Amino acid sequence: MDGVIWKGSPNHYKGRHGYAITHITLHIMVGYLAGTDSTFANQSSQASAHYGIGATGEIHQYVSEANGSYSDANYMSNNSTISIEHEGGMAHGAVCTQACIDASARLCADIARRYGWKKLWHDGLKGNVWLHREIPGTDHAGCPDLAPNGLPFQQVIDKANDILNGKTTNQERKENMAEMLFKNTDDGKVYYWNILTGCKYIGVPDQLEILKAAGVPMHETSSKGPWMTRAQEITDTTMATINATINAQAAAIETLSKSLGADPGQIAEAVKKAVADKLDSLHITIKAED
């Protein structure tokens, strides 16, 4: 799966000791991803999992899937599972976020595909998704779902199955586009967003004035601006359209950089022509949705 960050842990079996991989075990960290990284890196802890997912959806890998992990307090399960830890599980501290849940669903779907599982389901130890608290030998009675701010495991399973079935809802497309295009920090800076692509730009007055003079439609807002609303307005703009428009913008910037030292009016005209040439045959559909 793309985007997984290898951390590595010395705490694991060598191989699977004759066991086949039959299930995923879901865990809650009762803490943060950074603390889990540290614990699993420490050989004296004798603890590990195959994966850990943080509040932002970042996925770390500690043990190769070719090896059993020290995760479930059960030799058989350790050697037949792929174990996943999730940030959260604290009443006053780490919580299990939606980003973590969504990343877990993607990871579970990826695992299922690779091992030929058509569907994920939980039914105690009969399904192919196990909860740590249900495995004989463990003393983690709240793991992963009964702890404060625990993991809503059924949501993970349902989302993973939707991915396996090729289902992506319109709302999920909105959320994914918003996450990709409009993530920003509350730093008080002035931002601009392009109504064609939704892409934001940190305020650089000279450059932005030239772009606007060239006819590139821009909207000014602060970093506290309604990025999610802007995302919803371009939900039906295809990724191909976005990429093509970004390429046009890149051409404009290239033209701008080659025109350094020219009269501002000439620069604006050059940029306008470059953008027009790239966008001449581009068809864009923008649809606002409730």
Side-chain angles (χ1 to χ4, degrees), residues 97-127:
T97 65
Q98 191 62 51
C100 180
I101 293 164
D102 292 345
S104 183
R106 292 191 295 272
L107 177 57
C108 287
D110 181 70
I111 292 168
R113 283 196 189 105
R114 289 188 284 107
Y115 291 94
W117 305 340
K118 302 296 185 183
K119 179 182 179 181
L120 293 171
W121 78 99
H122 167 255
D123 182 14
L125 304 186
K126 298 177 183 178

Side-chain angles (χ1 to χ4, degrees), residues 11-201:
N11 306 322
H12 58 79
Y13 301 98
K14 292 183 179 180
R16 291 280 183 171
H17 294 190
Y19 288 89
I21 295 171
T22 60
H23 63 282
I24 296 168
T25 304
L26 301 178
H27 300 257
I28 197 76
M29 294 177 185
V30 192
Y32 299 92
L33 183 63
T36 297
D37 289 351
S38 178
T39 298
F40 290 171
N42 184 353
Q43 189 167 10
S44 66
S45 74
Q46 289 295 286
S48 67
H50 289 94
Y51 297 98
I53 306 176
T56 64
E58 183 171 295
I59 302 175
H60 292 178
Q61 185 171 4
Y62 309 101
V63 176
S64 167
E65 291 182 15
N67 299 321
S69 59
Y70 297 166
S71 56
D72 295 1
N74 180 292
Y75 179 81
M76 181 275 291
S77 186
N78 285 347
N79 280 292
S80 58
T81 193
I82 294 176
S83 49
I84 306 174
E85 288 276 3
H86 302 79
E87 185 167 310
M90 300 176 70
H92 304 288
V95 301
C96 190
T97 65
Q98 191 62 51
C100 180
I101 293 164
D102 292 345
S104 183
R106 292 191 295 272
L107 177 57
C108 287
D110 181 70
I111 292 168
R113 283 196 189 105
R114 289 188 284 107
Y115 291 94
W117 305 340
K118 302 296 185 183
K119 179 182 179 181
L120 293 171
W121 78 99
H122 167 255
D123 182 14
L125 304 186
K126 298 177 183 178
N128 54 15
V129 178
W130 295 11
L131 308 181
H132 187 204
R133 63 178 171 83
E134 296 176 328
I135 298 173
T138 185
D139 59 0
H140 293 192
C143 183
D145 55 321
L146 301 182
N149 291 310
L151 177 73
F153 71 89
Q154 193 59 51
Q155 185 182 155
V156 171
I157 293 171
D158 291 344
K159 280 180 170 284
N161 283 328
D162 283 345
I163 294 169
L164 288 171
N165 292 326
K167 295 180 181 177
T168 304
T169 66
N170 196 48
Q171 181 60 33
E172 286 171 335
R173 284 194 294 272
K174 288 182 184 180
E175 292 170 356
N176 292 340
M177 189 170 290
E179 176 71 17
M180 179 180 68
L181 296 179
F182 301 100
K183 187 176 181 182
N184 73 93
T185 57
D186 184 13
D187 54 14
K189 293 180 181 178
V190 173
Y191 289 81
Y192 294 75
W193 67 282
N194 182 324
I195 65 172
L196 295 178
T197 67
C199 291
K200 64 175 186 176
Y201 303 87

